[in-house]
Amino acid sequence: MEPSAREPLVRKKSSSYRTFPESAGKRLDKEYLRSLRNKRLYLAVFAAVLGNFSFGFALVYPSPVIPALEAHPSPALRLDQHTASWFGSVFTLGAAAGGVSAMLLNDRLGRKLSIMFSALPSAAGYALMAGAQGIGMLLLGRVLTGYAGGVTSASIPVYISEISHPGVRGMLGACPQIMAVLGSLILYALGLVLDWRWLAVAGEVPVLVMIVLLCFMPNSPRFLLSQGKDDEALGSLRWLRGRDTDYAREYEQIKDSVRKQSRRVSCAEIKDPFIYKPILIAVGMRFLQQLSGVTCVLVYLQSIFKKTSVILKPEYDAALVGLVRLFSVAIAAVSMDKAGRKILLFVSAGVMLVSNLTMGLYIHFVPASQNSTIANKTLVSSANLPAEPSNYITLIPLLATMFFIMGYAMGWGPITWLLMSEILPLKARGVASGLCVVVSWLTAFTLTQFFLRVVEAFGLEVPFLFFAVICAGNVLFTGCCVPETKGRSLEQIEAFFRTGRRSFMR
């Protein structure tokens, strides 16, 4: 059958947005492989994601610390239900403030300097918690580490997406989540052997290493071009791709894309579907990600396990869940550029739905005599409850939590961060990424602040059944709103939202 006259035109226009066309011949194929193997790109990504390691470490810091401080001999440091709730949730309030700051910092300082700036409040926060003489110092330390986490949440995914090669952007885009998970796992492991003060001291190490390494890394070529620093941008891309690659071709494509978006987004342009559609998708994903309950589970993990009297000790259960989480997000990193983003999001939401439903139904229907819970109510002061379950049925909460974390880490954890950095238009990327972080962490603050109160008033099963309903909504949102970005350059993705033509995404 004779091809239509329109078909070659579509092919031609689509290929202009490919960083390295598949039909370019053996020479470009070799350059493509060389650019993928350039170790400097991976070093730059590693330096940046140390900020995510620190973020994951700080996020779950209350998990082993709350039980220890509930039984602290000093009244000045002893936590009750009210102060424990604030100690768990105030981190997210600081993260929201960091997201607001990132709206300005990302476009003024650039992605790399914004990440480096986050080291200051992070180091100060850990120092305050390590030397805390009262609850006020603990809360201030949590706010500062949360603020640093908010800045890195908005800056690191954007930095990685803008320096990454399209062929490995999915894998590298999962690195922030991998390092955050690794940070949480290290915290759980260290919590088995270190006092809560020394845990805070240990948190200083990745912060210091990060700021030293980033001093030697380049800034994002796209950011440099947006600032009119063309020569510096070309040098940055050459450093990231390698001298013996066709980096000049990619540079011209990036330059053309930046030139089309040289002005900052105006209020009138917000009405443009090219601007508001990707922003709404990114914000919606971050909102639903937090509503699925992951932050509540991670922050109060040991208390939840103590409450349901899992057959193992809560601190060992928490470390085991952290290990499963790391394994799952590693699988997502490997499969993201092969299976695609959407299929992983569907699988992730489905697993989370079943896990939350199982947890809620178990707590509701299993008699307290079998799961060793006390009136199924309080999580606070759980340090004084006996942890001697009499039935192996108490493994169900552990398995349900492990599958929930596995599902989250395979999709809705890493992919929401990656898609945020992929689909946001360049001219609004700094502000919009900050907005995503603000929405995400304000939602997380609300949930972690009221989680203990809801458990006290209605029982532990109610939050988990609510999270299950949200996960069902995640499935619908993925099917209706989320585009597939596997193997596409950022320029292709922008062209798709600008024109609405799916030929750009093929």
Side-chain angles (χ1 to χ4, degrees):
M1 189 175 72
E2 189 175 350
S4 65
R6 188 179 176 187
E7 194 174 349
L9 178 63
V10 170
R11 275 200 210 103
K12 183 178 180 182
K13 194 163 186 178
S14 176
S15 66
S16 68
Y17 283 87
R18 298 184 64 87
T19 306
F20 292 94
E22 292 175 350
S23 60
K26 292 183 178 180
R27 183 181 64 83
L28 284 182
D29 286 342
K30 290 180 180 178
E31 291 173 351
Y32 180 91
L33 291 174
R34 278 198 296 267
S35 63
L36 286 180
R37 294 168 181 166
N38 184 29
K39 295 179 181 179
R40 290 178 173 179
L41 168 61
Y42 304 102
L43 177 60
V45 171
F46 173 75
V49 296
L50 283 172
N52 294 105
F53 181 96
S54 180
F55 168 79
F57 191 96
L59 175 65
V60 300
Y61 181 75
S63 183
V65 173
I66 286 178
L69 292 181
E70 285 172 350
H72 199 279
S74 171
L77 289 170
R78 192 179 305 135
L79 297 179
D80 56 20
Q81 178 180 322
H82 178 71
T83 52
S85 177
W86 275 103
F87 186 69
S89 63
V90 76
F91 176 91
T92 58
L93 200 58
V100 173
S101 299
M103 293 182 183
L104 179 64
L105 294 174
N106 269 342
D107 289 331
R108 294 291 176 87
L109 295 181
R111 292 40 159 155
K112 189 188 85 165
L113 288 180
S114 296
I115 300 169
M116 295 177 72
F117 169 78
S118 71
L120 298 176
S122 184
Y126 282 124
L128 279 171
M129 290 188 290
Q133 300 301 312
I135 292 174
M137 291 181 70
L138 288 171
L139 295 180
L140 181 56
R142 289 284 289 162
V143 170
L144 288 174
T145 52
Y147 177 85
V151 173
T152 56
S153 296
S155 303
I156 293 176
V158 175
Y159 177 71
I160 291 176
S161 73
E162 290 186 350
I163 68 173
S164 294
H165 191 289
V168 290
R169 197 177 60 243
M171 180 184 71
L172 296 181
C175 286
Q177 186 69 16
I178 290 176
M179 290 299 281
V181 170
L182 184 59
S184 298
L185 177 60
I186 295 298
L187 184 282
Y188 292 140
L190 291 177
L192 300 175
V193 296
L194 292 182
D195 177 74
W196 60 273
R197 292 188 187 273
W198 283 105
L199 282 178
V201 173
E204 299 278 10
V205 176
V207 178
L208 298 176
V209 176
M210 178 193 74
I211 198 166
V212 171
L213 287 179
L214 280 176
C215 290
F216 302 97
M217 299 300 115
N219 217 321
S220 156
R222 286 175 176 82
F223 170 74
L224 293 171
L225 282 169
S226 70
Q227 301 297 304
K229 301 177 181 179
D230 293 22
D231 293 340
E232 194 175 340
L234 183 61
S236 172
L237 193 61
R238 180 170 59 244
W239 192 91
L240 292 164
R241 298 291 182 265
R243 290 180 177 275
D244 53 349
T245 62
D246 194 13
Y247 64 88
R249 179 188 181 90
E250 183 178 359
Y251 171 78
E252 291 300 328
Q253 291 178 341
I254 296 172
K255 188 175 182 179
D256 180 62
S257 175
V258 171
R259 187 164 48 242
K260 292 176 181 177
Q261 304 182 57
S262 58
R263 295 178 297 102
R264 291 186 180 180
V265 64
S266 64
C267 293
E269 288 176 309
I270 294 293
K271 300 177 182 179
D272 187 346
F274 165 64
I275 300 294
Y276 75 75
K277 280 187 177 180
I279 292 177
L280 287 178
I281 292 171
V283 170
M285 290 191 73
R286 297 304 297 273
F287 180 64
L288 291 172
Q289 178 199 49
Q290 290 296 343
L291 279 183
S292 68
V294 64
T295 301
C296 292
V297 171
L298 292 176
V299 169
Y300 300 116
L301 190 57
Q302 286 196 28
S303 297
I304 291 172
F305 283 147
K306 192 74 176 180
K307 157 71 180 62
T308 53
S309 292
V310 176
I311 200 166
L312 301 176
K313 290 184 178 181
E315 54 267 32
Y316 292 110
D317 293 327
L320 185 59
V321 168
L323 191 61
V324 169
R325 187 179 171 208
L326 179 62
F327 175 73
S328 302
V329 77
I331 292 176
V334 172
S335 59
M336 207 177 293
D337 284 320
K338 297 178 181 178
R341 281 55 156 160
K342 290 191 72 168
I343 185 65
L344 289 177
L345 287 173
F346 279 126
V347 172
S348 171
V351 172
M352 292 163 66
L353 167 61
V354 173
S355 302
N356 277 321
L357 191 60
T358 300
M359 189 74 158
L361 293 177
Y362 167 84
I363 296 168
H364 182 75
F365 287 109
V366 174
S369 60
Q370 291 190 41
N371 66 23
S372 301
T373 59
I374 297 180
N376 209 19
K377 294 289 182 181
T378 183
L379 287 181
V380 182
S381 299
S382 58
N384 300 319
L385 297 180
E388 299 178 357
S390 57
N391 198 318
Y392 279 94
I393 198 173
T394 59
L395 283 174
I396 290 178
L398 174 61
L399 294 174
T401 304
M402 288 172 63
F403 275 101
F404 170 75
I405 294 298
M406 180 185 296
Y408 172 81
M410 287 182 64
W412 277 84
I415 294 178
T416 51
W417 296 88
L418 174 61
L419 274 173
M420 178 192 78
S421 60
E422 286 184 325
I423 67 177
L424 292 177
L426 177 63
K427 64 166 60 178
R429 197 168 289 162
V431 172
S433 61
L435 176 63
C436 289
V437 172
V438 170
V439 170
S440 175
W441 292 114
L442 283 180
T443 306
F445 170 75
T446 303
L447 286 176
T448 51
Q449 178 63 221
F450 287 97
F451 181 79
L452 295 179
R453 301 180 189 183
V454 171
V455 170
E456 184 73 18
F458 304 105
L460 185 57
E461 70 271 26
V462 172
F464 282 100
L465 293 176
F466 171 76
F467 298 152
V469 173
I470 296 299
C471 291
N474 290 3
V475 175
L476 296 176
F477 185 86
T478 301
C480 298
C481 304
V482 179
E484 180 56 76
T485 60
K486 180 187 71 170
R488 311 304 172 205
S489 70
L490 296 184
E491 288 68 44
Q492 277 181 299
I493 296 168
E494 288 183 356
F496 165 70
F497 281 108
R498 186 182 297 277
T499 64
R501 290 169 59 184
R502 295 192 175 272
S503 60
F504 284 103
M505 300 293 279
R506 289 176 187 148

